[in-house]
Amino acid sequence: MAKGKITQFVLKNPDGKVVKGSVSKDGASWTLGEVLGYGKTYSASGVATGTDGKAVAIKGSFTTVQPDTRVRVNVSPGDGDVVGVAASVIVRFGVEPTDRALIEKNMTITTTPKVEGSWAWIQHDDGLWALDWRPKTYWPAGTKVHVAANAYGLKFAAGAYGADDVTTDFTIGRNQVVYADAKSYKIVVKQGCAMNDEASCTKTIATYPASFGRGDQVNDPNLVTRSGIHVVMEKLPVHLMIGSPPFNYHSTEYWDVRISDNGEFIHENPNTVGDQGNTNVSHGCINLSPTSAKAYFNSAMIGDPVEVTGTSVQLSASDGDLFDWTYSWAQWQKFSAL
């Protein structure tokens, strides 16, 4: 047969059902139109016809791979979530991918309105690498976000393939930023703000006297509230604070807003009310009065930025799980595999 083309082609699954697909216009190829199952045998049949008019039968079969490990994918924020303007999209895998570019090519973000952003490979607290996506600057309030992690069938490592595709749809809430200045002993809650630009804010919600970490006063970096863009990660109405050695303490605190995984919270501390507004005495958390802490807790949203200034130590990758905003935009883009 000379320079023939496919004139008929059918692929069937083990149950005899025809698999979706299509022959190209020039008849040179057939393209699969659906995802195949793992560990299944498919049979092919058809006809190829040459320019000489001769027909040749197409017949054969193949069996798809049966993975040793099926890699589950988890995406946050989750379906229906409403989050603050500094929330990152985090796609976590149970296996570190061998081919990062392959995995990244199959992750997509669709936003309304269009928002500039980039993927980056980040090693989180569990020791595994995840794929994070953040915008260049804070999200516009009200943005609708659709994430598609098309992982099914992708090879992550030897014997490890994606278990399923995962999607999530979430919304960016109101724009609210906390400005926490350790040198002025207060936090200011504002809305309608650009990143690192307090003067741009359109509304002030509240100002609360505060006490920050005392590390700069006693020359102990372990007690310094880190400067930089933190992100609200968790809200706990009551939480048992446990200090790591040499700071051995157990203290039940209320209205706790976690802003990093290194032990930094904004929370109530009635024992430091006399210091709030004039002296930094904490182990690194931002202390507020009971009334202030409850009011701030009720206004906070997961994903809100907290911009801390006025201390000697910068927030970094060594300070917990979420440090995406510690990188400049140019640095962040270099972490993409594409």
Side-chain angles (χ1 to χ4, degrees), residues 12-35:
K12 293 184 178 180
N13 68 16
D15 298 323
K17 183 179 179 181
V18 175
V19 176
K20 294 178 182 178
S22 59
V23 177
S24 62
K25 289 183 179 180
D26 62 3
S29 63
W30 181 86
T31 301
L32 184 67
E34 63 182 80
V35 177

Side-chain angles (χ1 to χ4, degrees), residues 296-318:
Y296 170 63
F297 181 95
N298 289 334
S299 77
M301 179 182 290
I302 303 299
D304 281 346
V306 177
E307 298 187 8
V308 179
T309 55
T311 70
S312 64
V313 182
Q314 291 292 313
L315 186 73
S316 70
S318 63

Side-chain angles (χ1 to χ4, degrees), residues 240-314:
L240 176 63
M241 301 281 185
I242 302 176
S244 300
F247 311 110
N248 297 308
Y249 60 86
H250 289 68
S251 177
T252 299
E253 305 293 352
Y254 296 87
W255 311 118
D256 307 287
V257 178
R258 187 190 298 274
I259 59 173
S260 79
D261 265 351
N262 68 355
E264 291 175 313
F265 289 81
I266 300 174
H267 67 83
E268 165 193 316
N269 191 338
N271 296 322
T272 66
V273 169
D275 300 299
Q276 293 165 21
N278 59 78
T279 310
N280 292 327
V281 298
S282 85
H283 287 84
C285 290
I286 300 174
N287 290 178
L288 303 179
S289 72
T291 300
S292 297
K294 184 177 181 180
Y296 170 63
F297 181 95
N298 289 334
S299 77
M301 179 182 290
I302 303 299
D304 281 346
V306 177
E307 298 187 8
V308 179
T309 55
T311 70
S312 64
V313 182
Q314 291 292 313

Side-chain angles (χ1 to χ4, degrees), residues 105-152:
K105 286 176 183 177
N106 284 276
M107 307 292 126
T108 64
I109 298 276
T110 306
T111 67
T112 305
K114 188 174 181 179
V115 177
E116 183 180 1
S118 177
W119 291 107
W121 288 93
I122 298 294
Q123 190 172 28
H124 288 275
D125 277 357
D126 57 10
L128 295 175
W129 290 86
L131 196 53
D132 291 16
W133 193 98
R134 52 153 271 209
K136 182 177 180 180
T137 60
Y138 295 152
W139 292 96
T143 301
K144 303 294 183 182
V145 185
H146 173 75
V147 184
N150 302 309
Y152 182 85

Side-chain angles (χ1 to χ4, degrees), residues 180-210:
D181 183 1
K183 290 184 176 179
S184 67
Y185 312 105
K186 67 182 179 181
I187 70 170
V188 184
V189 184
K190 295 190 175 185
Q191 294 186 348
C193 309
M195 187 173 76
N196 290 322
D197 186 3
E198 186 175 356
S200 69
C201 302
T202 59
K203 185 178 182 181
T204 298
I205 302 301
T207 299
Y208 303 119

